[in-house]
Amino acid sequence: MKFFRWMISGLEGIVIFLGFGLLLLRMAGICPYSVLSGSMAPEIPAGGMVFTDTNNREPEVGDVITYKLQDITVTHRVVRIEDGFYVTKGDANQGVDAVSVLPSHVVGTVCFSLPYLGYVVSYLQNRSIAVWIIMISLLFFLTGIRPVFLNNKRKGER
C-alpha cells in the first residue's frame, strides 16, 4: 500500500511540475502546438509537440515557423522571402507550399520540440478521456485524504 501511495504522490508531483512549467512558458509567450503530420520529419516527427515563441514573429530564412491559414495551424520551414511573403516548405515535402504566408498569419518561431508529446496532448483533449482522468484523480485525492480525517478523528477520541 505504501508503494501505491508513493506512486500516486510521484505522479501528482510530475503533473504539478509539468503544469507549472507550461504556465511559465505561456507567461513568457511560448505556446505549444501538436504536429499531426510527418511533413517536418525527421526533425519534428508526427506526434511531436513544438513550442513556438509568439514574441518572435519576424522569422528569417531557415527558421521553422508556426502560422495559421483560416482554421488550420501549420508548422513549416521558411525557405525564402518574396515580396514580404514567407515561402514555406515541410522538410519531408518535395516542393514548397502552394500558398505563401502573410506576416500577419505568423504565430511565431519554433524554439524547440519534443517528440510524441503531441500524441499525448491530442489524446487528453478527448472529452471522455478528460472526464475519466478527472474522476480517477478525484478518487485518488479522496482516498489519499481519507486517512488524514481518520487519524484526526482518532486523535480527538483520546
Side-chain angles (χ1 to χ4, degrees), residues 44-57:
I44 304 170
M49 177 159 278
V50 294
F51 292 84
T52 302
D53 182 359
T54 59
N55 297 319
N56 185 1
R57 297 183 52 197

Side-chain angles (χ1 to χ4, degrees), residues 74-135:
V74 181
T75 298
H76 278 174
R77 188 176 306 279
V78 175
V79 292
R80 65 180 178 271
I81 302 170
E82 289 180 356
D83 301 323
F85 292 87
Y86 298 106
V87 178
T88 57
K89 175 186 174 296
D91 290 354
N93 296 347
Q94 293 294 325
V96 296
D97 296 339
V99 179
S100 295
V101 180
L102 287 167
S104 61
H105 292 164
V106 175
V107 174
T109 304
V110 174
C111 305
F112 63 97
S113 66
L114 296 173
Y116 310 114
L117 188 59
Y119 284 137
V120 174
V121 171
S122 294
Y123 186 71
L124 292 177
Q125 287 176 343
N126 181 330
R127 221 175 258 255
S128 61
I129 299 298
V131 169
W132 276 105
I133 290 173
I134 290 169
M135 288 174 41

Side-chain angles (χ1 to χ4, degrees), residues 1 4-5 8-9 12 135-150:
M1 192 67 168
F4 181 70
R5 287 196 182 151
I8 297 299
S9 296
E12 288 173 346
M135 288 174 41
I136 291 169
S137 298
L138 185 60
L139 178 68
F140 285 151
F141 175 75
L142 292 175
T143 58
I145 203 165
R146 184 172 173 238
V148 171
F149 285 119
L150 290 176

Side-chain angles (χ1 to χ4, degrees), residues 24-37:
L24 287 177
L25 286 174
R26 285 268 189 182
M27 290 172 56
I30 298 174
C31 295
Y33 292 93
S34 297
V35 176
L36 302 177
S37 75

